[in-house]
Amino acid sequence: MKLPLFRPDAATSTRYLFFTGKGGVGKTSLSCATALKLAEAGKRVLLVSTDPASNLDEVLMTTLTNQPTPVPEVPGLHALNINPVEAAAAYRERVIGPMRGVLPEAALRSMEEQLSGSCTVEIAAFDEFSGFIGNPDAARDFDHVIFDTAPTGHTLRLMSLAKAWDQFLDNNTSGTSCLGPLAGLEKQRGIYEATVQTLSDASATTLVLVSRPQLSALREAERTSGELRALGVTNQCLVINGTFETNCPQDVTAQAMQQRGESAMGSASVFIDSMPSFIMPLRPINILGIEGLRVLLDGESAKGSVAPVDAEWIPPDMRRLTDLVDEIEKNEHGVIMTMGKGGVGKTTVAAAIAVLLARRGHAVHLSTTDPAAHIAQTLDGQIDGLTVRRIDPAAETAAYQQEVMQTQGAQMDESGRALLEEDLRSPCTEEIAVFRAFAREVGQGTRRFVVLDTAPTGHTLLLLDASEAYHRELQRQARSTQPEEVLHLLDRLRDPDFTHILLVTLPEATPVHEAAALQADLRRAHIDPHAWVINQSLLGCGSCDLLLRRREETEHRYIREVVEKQAKRTAWLPWQAVEPVGGEALSRLAQSGVPRMTVA
């Protein structure tokens, strides 16, 4: 599939550009490169990041605040970081502050955690950046305003239902994590409505969908595209970042990487052909600094500048996956959770652990939210001693939504019910619904090993803790009790001898930094991860492809960051030319040892 290169053009770019896509696909790099190109064409450009884990400072090599800051060496370019976490904290205090001293402490803790979820943070971010769009005076000094991380369709639907807020907030007594902060945002309605209208204006706004040549990333881009088109945001284009073509026909690793990308793009050809689509080739370096951004757009000026991998670099001490299993199996039962951002290989790691434990004679239950075909393909047949159950997120969420509508919704009029329905379409709803299903599985860990693929986030665990504290107080007063499994759930998750959390990451900036944020969330919930697993590493791949050899070298800093700053113990897994399928392949993967030098 031949697609043109992505080339931002000041003559054809709309005033507002939004970059959106899964974490780790390159939104920040592409938005920064676009801003650079427009500024070098003589335009005045404001670059805004609304990512809670923004690395805009790192990419631009400029210290940023929440106010426009000039970027050195690039006249006309200013950038700023909106910190939605801080904004969300301010909204939480506006909502909860008046209730301090009035409600019990347990109730306040429950409310605070309910207003700490991803939806709250996203809406707080929307409040911040809507000022640059809905307020005509806010960005009047700039020709283009570029946003790194666009609002989701869910957020835009919430803002389009602003007229129903009053009735909904008057009748909603649940303290839902998604809509709670809107109580502090009502005065902004006019700006929100103007923002939504501008986003739908194709002459003013372009939505840039960013993906990788991976099927999961392309499917996410397609889902986002359809959701936003339904809301009138139709001026879209697609950039597939990190496409790879090797010039080493004898290199198994390079050939496999190229084939995977081509296969994924072929499977998504209908979606790719549905809009203007472009590619951005995989580059051999970390995209940092102005020169790095020029390399991203234009490639390196001379092939000779591609240096060989440092053969003297010695990887830090990292274990095999089987070494982690040796430790975990000593207690004969318990729970193992694999966690991390999408696309890092949680399912493969979970399957490998489950297979190893089952082959060692243990009773093992593998529970996953992954599509059944994927986990079935990974295992490739039955494994003695291993049972598998798929938790269907759609079914769990539908049941939870129906339950809430039949209880809370019964008290509301039509507009209130419409807003409640939208609230229940939030990511928080699915996360909580799936967590309730996972909670049922955890209890089985008292008599066998339970491996949970795609485990609940730290925020969900904290939400459960805060809510249970309040409900326990109410039930104490009513002299009623909860089922044993619910009463002991958090204690079990916090018991390091019973529950082992494995954070799975790739040796790249975004997966590592998102896993670090997840670890911080878990530790707030008094749950300490057992280990990190660095997956799909190119260390020691011995590739003859110069680009892959440079990519191998870029892993060094992130491997050291994990081992030296983040993890108590670290396991390492190599990039696989052939995806591991079946018990034998998964066992071999788990036995993989860290190469002592980075070249063959």
Side-chain angles (χ1 to χ4, degrees), residues 98-376:
M99 303 178 192
R100 298 191 189 280
V102 178
L103 294 180
E105 187 63 29
L108 293 175
R109 282 182 54 218
S110 180
M111 292 178 65
E112 285 177 347
E113 194 52 50
Q114 285 168 335
L115 302 184
S116 297
S118 57
C119 291
T120 302
V121 171
E122 187 175 330
I123 292 169
F126 187 88
D127 178 65
E128 292 284 331
F129 74 64
S130 63
F132 292 103
I133 304 174
N135 182 349
D137 298 326
R140 62 178 177 225
D141 295 332
F142 299 98
D143 300 307
H144 298 280
V145 184
I146 298 174
F147 294 93
D148 170 25
T149 305
T152 67
H154 167 62
T155 299
L156 296 180
R157 286 194 303 271
L158 282 178
M159 298 310 168
S160 68
L161 289 170
K163 294 178 181 178
W165 290 355
D166 278 338
Q167 194 274 338
F168 176 82
L169 293 171
D170 287 344
N171 288 279
N172 177 26
T173 59
S174 67
T176 52
S177 62
C178 186
L179 284 184
L182 293 182
L185 305 180
E186 290 181 274
K187 294 180 181 179
Q188 300 287 93
R189 286 185 186 176
I191 291 178
Y192 294 159
E193 290 171 350
T195 300
V196 174
Q197 184 176 2
T198 300
L199 287 169
S200 302
D201 183 353
S203 67
T205 300
T206 301
L207 185 80
V208 183
L209 297 155
V210 184
S211 181
R212 290 274 187 179
Q214 300 164 353
L215 200 54
S216 62
L218 286 163
R219 283 174 176 167
E220 175 69 12
E222 185 173 10
R223 183 198 62 76
T224 300
S225 173
E227 191 174 58
L228 294 175
R229 280 184 186 279
L231 293 167
V233 184
T234 58
N235 189 15
Q236 303 179 6
C237 68
L238 173 68
V239 180
I240 303 173
N241 186 33
T243 58
F244 176 69
E245 186 174 347
T246 185
N247 56 4
C248 292
Q250 73 276 23
D251 189 322
V252 175
T253 298
Q255 288 294 325
M257 190 174 291
Q258 178 176 330
Q259 177 58 38
R260 284 191 194 179
E262 291 173 349
S263 176
M265 292 171 63
S267 297
S269 60
V270 174
F271 166 58
I272 294 172
D273 292 340
S274 70
M275 67 182 69
S277 295
F278 309 90
I279 60 169
M280 181 58 65
L282 184 68
R283 300 304 186 190
I285 63 169
N286 280 313
I287 305 303
L288 299 175
I290 300 305
E291 287 308 312
L293 292 170
R294 292 193 176 109
V295 168
L296 176 64
L297 286 178
D298 302 323
E300 293 190 290
S301 57
K303 291 293 183 182
S305 63
V306 180
V309 171
D310 179 10
E312 301 301 319
W313 189 78
I314 299 176
D317 183 40
M318 294 181 286
R319 308 182 186 193
R320 300 173 301 167
L321 189 61
T322 189
D323 297 330
L324 296 185
V325 175
D326 291 345
E327 299 173 354
I328 292 170
E329 74 168 331
K330 291 177 181 178
N331 292 329
E332 301 292 329
H333 64 87
V335 173
I336 302 105
M337 295 182 175
T338 58
M339 305 178 73
K341 69 180 292 297
V344 296
K346 296 186 296 293
T347 298
T348 299
V349 172
I353 291 171
V355 166
L356 282 182
L357 288 169
R359 287 190 159 197
R360 294 179 183 187
H362 299 286
V364 183
H365 179 64
L366 174 59
S367 184
T368 179
T369 57
D370 195 68
H374 187 188
I375 195 68

Side-chain angles (χ1 to χ4, degrees), residues 506-556:
L506 305 179
E508 300 173 6
T510 300
V512 168
H513 296 159
E514 289 195 8
L518 175 56
Q519 178 168 259
D521 252 359
L522 289 168
R523 286 175 172 168
R524 285 200 304 133
H526 307 291
I527 298 171
D528 204 20
H530 178 74
W532 285 50
V533 179
I534 296 176
N535 193 25
Q536 300 180 27
S537 171
L538 289 170
L539 285 186
C541 69
S543 176
C544 69
D545 189 290
L546 293 179
L547 188 149
L548 291 189
R549 291 172 63 183
R550 281 285 295 275
R551 294 289 299 181
E552 177 183 344
E553 189 172 42
T554 65
E555 293 185 2
H556 296 181

